[in-house]
Amino acid sequence: MQSEVAHPSQSLMARETADAPQAVRAFLARNQDTLASLAQDLRGSPPSVVVTCARGSSDNAATYAKYLIETLAGVPVSSSALSVSSVFGAEMQPGRVLVIAISQSGRSPDLLAAVEAHRRAGARVVALVNDETAPLADLAQWVLPLHAGPEKSVAATKSYIASLAGVAAIVAQWTGDAALTEALGRLPDALAIAAGTAPFDLVERLSAATNLFVIARGYGFGIAQEGALKLKETCGLHAEAYSAAEVRHGPMTIINEGFPIVAFATSDASGESVRDAAREFAGRGAQVALLDAEAPFGESTLAALAGHAALEPLLMIQSFYPQVNALSLARGLDPDNPAHLRKVTETL
């Protein structure tokens, strides 16, 4: 006897996605003092480099951090290869390094080993972590709890969005960006609106798909990575994320008639590159679903709703998650318990 497929709104993933606006509201309200202390330290003694330590969805948040920090603070950002510390046991050289560690659980041994190696070399450490009792919190000078609450679905959603908001809050305080700070104040309400707006029907577009590309650029590239990851883990789709620039190299060869493309275009200078790629691929007959920050979105546009180009990706992924959830169920899968996965992955 075939089991009954749950309604899309009944899954843990759907409910936790809907909690993201409140998680962001809690993060911004409860971390004000820590953010101010961190910003004062960074302005007084700017790092020469930022190193991010993360895995999975958290690493996609780290991609967002790279673009935000490099464009708004002008400091280069590098992603730590965690096995350098956990497998090879290499030691880091001293320097003016800021480590931003992002983790829902804060317990993965390879992440902890990398952070410990940087601490031994004198790096300052910021932890964005949902479980503030985790070992990662003990390694950080500044702990920024995500305040997302328990996240029971294997697919991380509200903790990812809270991580993005946390990164944006760090950069806004660090750089004194008044426009970004003001937009962050309105972000929880904007996320709540985005959560109820479905920009394209993934169930109709991707129910029979096997492969697709997810493309974006700049601030949006981290959510392209996240979107592709969610389509893999909850829908069993071979989804690959590409920059709208990188996809024009070797990957272009396989984009032909009927090939599915999901694209995210922000309203800043990088968005036009995504729109150009989307138009070109549609001209070849590809099935292109474009979420454009400058196009109508409910009663407004994403650009107007976000109030700052750097926050548009948060609204995009907030509106995207419920559709991934629905697609997973439509394909007869369980978005809360993907095959072969568990909530906390403790890699070495």
Side-chain angles (χ1 to χ4, degrees):
M1 180 177 177
Q2 189 175 17
S3 61
E4 184 179 351
V5 176
H7 188 275
S9 64
Q10 295 173 346
S11 72
L12 289 170
M13 181 181 178
R15 295 200 294 270
E16 290 171 356
T17 298
D19 288 342
Q22 184 54 39
V24 171
R25 193 183 306 278
F27 177 93
L28 296 173
R30 299 180 189 178
N31 287 303
Q32 288 183 2
D33 291 345
T34 304
L35 286 166
S37 170
L38 172 60
Q40 183 178 15
D41 188 84
L42 294 177
R43 289 194 297 267
S45 179
S48 57
V49 66
V50 175
V51 175
T52 59
C53 295
R55 288 281 192 202
S57 289
S58 295
D59 200 31
N60 299 333
T63 297
Y64 174 74
K66 175 180 177 66
Y67 282 96
L68 218 61
I69 293 169
E70 291 190 350
T71 58
L72 299 183
V75 178
V77 180
S78 175
S79 175
S80 175
L82 303 185
S83 62
V84 167
S85 301
S86 65
V87 176
F88 294 97
E91 292 297 323
M92 299 294 105
Q93 294 298 312
R96 290 187 294 115
V97 177
L98 173 70
V99 171
I100 299 179
I102 308 173
S103 175
Q104 191 274 332
S105 70
R107 299 179 184 279
S108 188
D110 55 354
L111 181 140
L112 296 174
V115 174
E116 287 174 338
H118 282 288
R119 274 296 303 267
R120 287 194 296 271
R124 290 170 284 178
V125 178
V126 178
L128 286 160
V129 60
N130 200 35
D131 181 358
E132 56 191 293
T133 69
L136 175 60
D138 295 331
L139 297 174
Q141 289 98 325
W142 294 274
V143 179
L144 294 167
L146 297 178
H147 293 298
E151 194 172 48
K152 298 179 180 179
S153 175
V154 170
T157 52
K158 60 181 179 177
S159 63
Y160 174 75
I161 293 174
S163 297
L164 298 184
V167 167
I170 291 171
V171 176
Q173 291 272 349
W174 177 6
T175 62
D177 190 318
L180 181 55
T181 300
E182 182 180 355
L184 276 166
R186 300 191 302 268
L187 179 61
D189 291 339
L191 286 167
I193 294 171
T197 306
F200 35 70
D201 187 350
L202 293 186
V203 173
E204 179 181 350
R205 291 176 177 273
L206 300 179
S207 288
T210 54
N211 302 281
L212 75 148
F213 288 166
V214 185
I215 65 171
R217 201 170 184 187
Y219 299 144
F221 185 49
I223 64 159
Q225 293 177 318
E226 173 65 6
L229 175 61
K230 286 295 181 287
L231 289 168
K232 290 173 186 174
E233 68 181 350
T234 68
C235 301
L237 281 167
H238 180 210
E240 296 296 331
Y242 284 102
S243 156
E246 186 65 29
V247 77
R248 293 179 178 278
H249 294 272
M252 282 191 78
T253 305
I254 64 174
I255 301 174
N256 291 301
E257 185 75 29
F259 190 86
I261 302 281
V262 172
F264 299 98
T266 48
S267 65
D268 56 50
S270 70
E272 193 54 38
S273 174
V274 179
R275 295 182 195 95
D276 285 344
R279 285 190 289 266
E280 178 178 350
F281 299 151
R284 297 188 198 176
Q287 296 181 13
V288 179
L290 172 66
L291 180 50
D292 188 340
E294 296 181 336
F297 185 87
E299 298 179 357
S300 182
T301 66
L302 272 171
L305 189 60
H308 195 292
L311 299 183
E312 292 165 8
L314 282 73
L315 305 187
M316 290 175 170
I317 201 67
Q318 176 76 79
S319 68
F320 188 72
Y321 279 149
Q323 296 178 85
V324 174
N325 174 77
L327 176 61
S328 175
L329 293 169
R331 290 169 69 92
L333 302 172
D334 181 354
D336 297 330
N337 295 290
H340 316 304
L341 295 175
R342 58 181 180 172
K343 185 61 181 172
V344 178
T345 303
E346 296 187 350
T347 48
L348 299 175

